[in-house]
Amino acid sequence: MDEVELLIIGAGSGNSIPTPQLSALSIAIVDDAPWFGGTCLNVGCIPTKMFVHVADVARSARDAERLGLRNVHIDVDWPAIRDRVFGRIDAIAMSGEEYRRSGEPNVSLVRESVRFTAPREVETDSGRRIRAERVVIAAGSRPRAHPAVPPSPRVLTSDEIMHIDALPARLAIVGGGVVAVEFAAMFEGLGVEVVQIARSTLLRDLDPELQGRFMAAAAASWEVRSETNVVASTETADGVRLELSDGSAVSAELVLVAIGREPNTDRLGTEDVGFDHHPDGRLVVDRYQRVLSGGEATAGVFALGDIDAAHQLKHVANHEARVVQANLLAGPDAPEVKLVANDLAPVPSAVFSAPQVAWFGETLATAEQCGFDAFEVLHEYAWTAWGWALEDRDSCCKLVVEALTGRLLGAHIIGPDAPVLLQPLVLAASNGMSVRGLARSQYWPHPAASEIVENALLKAEDYLLGAVT
Amino acid sequence: MDEVELLIIGAGSGNSIPTPQLSALSIAIVDDAPWFGGTCLNVGCIPTKMFVHVADVARSARDAERLGLRNVHIDVDWPAIRDRVFGRIDAIAMSGEEYRRSGEPNVSLVRESVRFTAPREVETDSGRRIRAERVVIAAGSRPRAHPAVPPSPRVLTSDEIMHIDALPARLAIVGGGVVAVEFAAMFEGLGVEVVQIARSTLLRDLDPELQGRFMAAAAASWEVRSETNVVASTETADGVRLELSDGSAVSAELVLVAIGREPNTDRLGTEDVGFDHHPDGRLVVDRYQRVLSGGEATAGVFALGDIDAAHQLKHVANHEARVVQANLLAGPDAPEVKLVANDLAPVPSAVFSAPQVAWFGETLATAEQCGFDAFEVLHEYAWTAWGWALEDRDSCCKLVVEALTGRLLGAHIIGPDAPVLLQPLVLAASNGMSVRGLARSQYWPHPAASEIVENALLKAEDYLLGAVT
């Protein structure tokens, strides 16, 4: 039995836990992935955005006929694109692993799968047992399997598809969530014929106005089969044939299954040792990121990231890692009063599809369901000079505001630069600022895209003042 | 002698003064420009950004070799680009003029030049005299003439060059300021061979680090002749030959003179009626936007925009218009206590060149000259995932912070999306927020470009905490 003071399972955001402040602890980091550094760096946010940007550049030029650019021709050198991305990422992953392997005397690296044998004890595949004073479960999530579309050399997940040798002529994407729409836009932008099959609509949890706009934009760029499911999958001579629940069929050279991600709790056997789980398999944690067992905090056991978080987002995982880190420093038996609570809100989300979407908080409907007296305002990109520059017709910013206080309950942007345009609204909402006076408390450089946000704020303020009803 | 209650000279930001709240006043608006709606709409911010965006799209694709895009070919249909821009803008300008001509019974439009005959009295070119209870001087600025490069069909100003029939093969731009570098990038992006001649460096007032980066980027994209001046200009068979002070010469099919803008006070004869002027010709106003005469506020005379403002920026002019509007409502003899002061700060600037630049406030050097105990931090785009996606090597965000308070004294960004990335920093600085705790008071969606700002803030905070020296 190996004994350590801190066991970290998962080298994604978990890998940020060991800092100089924890150098007095003996630490073991466990990760069984073929890569090092977690989903975001290796098969998630970062490489996808690196591909997406290339696709966006190509698409922007191809779509610029309306701006007066003609006869646009662009060849896509897929191996060069892929190798640039992974040349950079793999080097970072490898040097990260090398550092963890030999960089600090108090940290050891275990490259095996583990299962819990007790709340603070695991056994590796090779039979090694590790007992720890404190455990951080940061083992993340993995692509969910589709029962009717089993993996094959032509049926890939998001872990695999970025590594393909050549672009397919035609790609079927099964799924309608964030990962699915990002890959759809990326491959479409790189010239692949994309057909996307979604059980309901695309990005179904979006604000309804944005959801409708996203669907329309997607359907104008690639083939969308919504409200249908895949019931069977057959390999053919040159691809895969998917039978759909609506009776039709789709054939493609390659299939990406992207129907969501599930937490890796089952692989760790976390149910066997009495930890509490949400219905979807995530660990239940309290506001200090302590894993619960029977509704009570499990001494010395924390979780962070996709394995517990309601938002499967890297910035959430990183923030949870900071909370866990602070609470580890408080010692294994710290009273709650010494612990740091995770109360950062709201949580922004960004989708790097075509179009981009970014949002946080409530829609008008969910705000009202929560009992708020709320209203919403919408400002089109097309009503600003930047929208004229873009020749934009489909992009907008919507704000959901509490009528009593002027507090931003939600913000929803669809269109170019949505993720960065959202930030001043995140800042305001996070710091309890009312929309009252906010736009006029600062300059907004003309004619930058941020004027879209400025004008939405002004409209919200007018509404508050009763000037608009 | 015509009598009105309010005379507004200049239909740019001045045109936003008559609102329903002023509908009880008889108002005359004077403007002698060939267009209606001022510089920004017709020959300034808005059309230039509409052109710049097209150029940016073309350049992004052409520069994407490093991202894996190959054999990029784009034809530039200049007449289509131009006609899209002015098709939109001219329609807005015309409907604006039509509205002012006939939209409200209390407003009349005078399309003539005027000169002051008394502080609240003007005479038009045709001899019509107008006396007013209140005057708003919003007559803006115009491109400065170059003594050695007189205007001709081949020597144009920024007012004219966007209307050319065809792109020149080679364009010489005289000037190194904001307008000059925006046009340089725009024409270069549209495939024109550009040579830029600047008396000193390009954008010489920028933070020195950003200035050096801008110069390097510009010189890599077009020809830059800095530290030299044009001493003579000769028309040739197929263009213009410019003799430079360094003894060399430059030939080009077309020349753009963009060496700054000068206020239109001389055309109005404002010196004749005793108004105070800055050495550069701008009107002197107090914090209520009242025009001074002999150091005292001139009763009922206000100014706004380029004709008085230290920053020749549309968002500044618009804010001054709001201040003037409020103070007009206070009545002609309002005591100062009833007036609204113009104290909005800091003023952000954005340059839509290639690269983009945006900033506000002090550099470290100017902060120290002002007596601040300040420090600066710099974060490269290349150190964030978004920088990896861009394959960026040259872009950065620099913050200048007061050591005692953590207050943002300045922020300076060079690179893609600089104008929108700046906004959360404008918000924070305008609302007196310290950098202490600011980054961690909110989420920054990963891996959006805004992480560049987040990381710069974290670095500033570390510095404050003494973690970095």
Side-chain angles (χ1 to χ4, degrees), chain A residues 276-324:
Chain A
D276 295 346
H277 293 75
H278 293 283
D280 60 7
R282 285 179 296 120
L283 290 168
V284 180
V285 296
D286 65 11
R287 54 201 293 258
Y288 310 106
Q289 298 297 138
R290 296 181 300 189
V291 175
L292 302 189
S293 302
E296 298 293 324
T298 317
V301 181
F302 298 87
L304 65 89
D306 284 6
I307 206 158
D308 77 272
H311 294 89
Q312 292 175 319
L313 295 167
K314 177 64 171 172
H315 44 287
V316 169
N318 284 346
H319 180 67
E320 291 188 348
R322 288 189 289 270
V323 170
V324 168

Side-chain angles (χ1 to χ4, degrees), chain B residues 401-461:
Chain B
V401 180
E402 190 182 22
L404 194 65
T405 61
R407 196 160 56 102
L408 274 169
L409 300 174
H412 310 266
I413 305 180
I414 184 167
D417 278 333
V420 287
L421 289 176
L422 191 72
Q423 198 62 42
L425 299 167
V426 178
L427 196 171
S430 304
N431 286 275
M433 303 172 92
S434 165
V435 300
R436 206 170 274 134
L438 184 56
R440 290 282 172 257
S441 74
Q442 62 197 295
Y443 282 107
W444 303 76
H446 179 73
S450 36
E451 290 187 325
I452 299 152
V453 172
E454 176 195 20
N455 281 290
L457 286 170
L458 288 172
K459 198 170 288 187
E461 196 169 3

Side-chain angles (χ1 to χ4, degrees), chain A residues 42-44 47-48 51 78 82 86 158 160-164 183:
Chain A
N42 291 282
V43 290
T48 51
F51 284 106
W78 169 258
R82 181 200 59 204
F86 288 107
S158 57
E160 299 151 345
I161 198 162
M162 289 182 275
H163 287 278
I164 52 177
F183 276 105

